[in-house]
Amino acid sequence: MRTAHGLAAVATMAALAALGTQTAVAQTAIPSEPANAVNLVDGLEGVFGTHAARRSGARGVCAAGEFVGNKAGAAVSKASVFSGKPVPVILRFSVGGGNPNAPESGKGVRGLAAQFDLPNGEQWLMANISAPFFTAATPDGFLAFLEARKPDPATKKPDPAKIAAAAAKYPDFKPQMEWVAKTGVPASYAAVNYWSTHAFKFTNAAGKTQFAKWMFVPVTGQEFIADDKLATHAKVFLEDELKGRVSQIPVEFDMVLQLAQAGDPTDNATVAWPDDRKKVVAGRLKVSAVTDKAACDGINFNPLVLPTGIEGSDDPLLAARAGSYAVSQARRLAK
Ligand code: HEM
């Protein structure tokens, strides 16, 4: 026979079970909450820790250069960057991820960030990566990616089940992961292609608008470290290699615009457009010197700082980047 006490106990157990279910649901929500500028930076810190460097692209080097646009660029955009006059550029090359001591012989993306200082006082800021796609299509997806990789306090390693659950919910992680796995490690910051991954809207002087993505292509070609040499390769070499290269040979990249055709997605940085889309060389970037940290540490390369003639697209990552770069900058400069 059940006593009142027993029933109460059963009721309490049922309530606890219900509570347990709710807790379990809350814990397994992927991502744990909608992404915003702050929790995205928290997510990066969860994976890489807190330090005085950038929360992503933490290991890197500042450089200086010059960009000269051309008529083909001016045909796509009225931005003064394509006027043909040299424009000074502040650059930063980096290793992907938020580890300031990341081994430079490791697989993963490299970054090329730039601030073009235009004659009319405008600026064009960008941060590009050495892969045609970003990690995730949406801020929520990127937050899920980061949360799944946060090391478990007990094992100090990410939980493979969480990584698998996030990947199952966001199949858009796949293109970049496959690309990184099959692509070599760059032998130089100056010898690898860099992509915008996002589409931007370009308007020319006649008012014609079209979407384009850009790519920086090293004039002397790409160079990779052979996979079987990676284990014995120096872990830190990119800054000295760049200094040496710049002092000996011109380090130049073509800026190539890939023009969209009707139907090409403009809101998804994990989808590359077909390779047969028209490409135009819009100008050339020359890297002239590796500079002191102070030359670029005060800059966050917010990709929505754009000159007249270039606008953002409907890609939801762009606004998330603008916010989280500011949060990261505030935190690192406060250190
Ligand atoms: C929601 C998506 C993204 C988030 C939350 C995010 C977050 C961040 C943060 C917090 C920083 C450090 C900013 C600073 O302290 O100045 C950073 C740097 C960087 N990001 Fe992103 N990022 C996102 C998407 C992308 C995409 C799509 C690309 C490439 C196309 C990219 C490329 C880079 C590069 C190259 C850097 C280093 C820039 C530098 O040298 O200062 N990120 N990112």
Side-chain angles (χ1 to χ4, degrees), residues 63-104:
E66 184 179 273
F67 179 80
V68 181
N70 62 26
K71 288 203 169 83
V76 180
S77 169
K78 62 185 172 190
S80 61
V81 70
F82 299 118
S83 71
K85 297 200 183 91
V87 169
V89 187
I90 298 173
L91 297 157
R92 186 168 181 275
F93 293 93
S94 58
V95 176
N99 175 4
N101 301 310
E104 297 177 348

Side-chain angles (χ1 to χ4, degrees), residues 199-221:
F200 289 82
K201 189 174 166 189
F202 287 69
T203 305
N204 70 10
K208 180 184 171 191
T209 61
Q210 59 193 314
F211 284 95
K213 297 187 179 194
W214 60 76
M215 198 178 157
F216 285 88
V217 178
V219 172
T220 50

Side-chain angles (χ1 to χ4, degrees), residues 8-22:
V10 170
T12 306
M13 280 162 67
L16 280 173
L19 198 68
T21 315
Q22 281 167 13

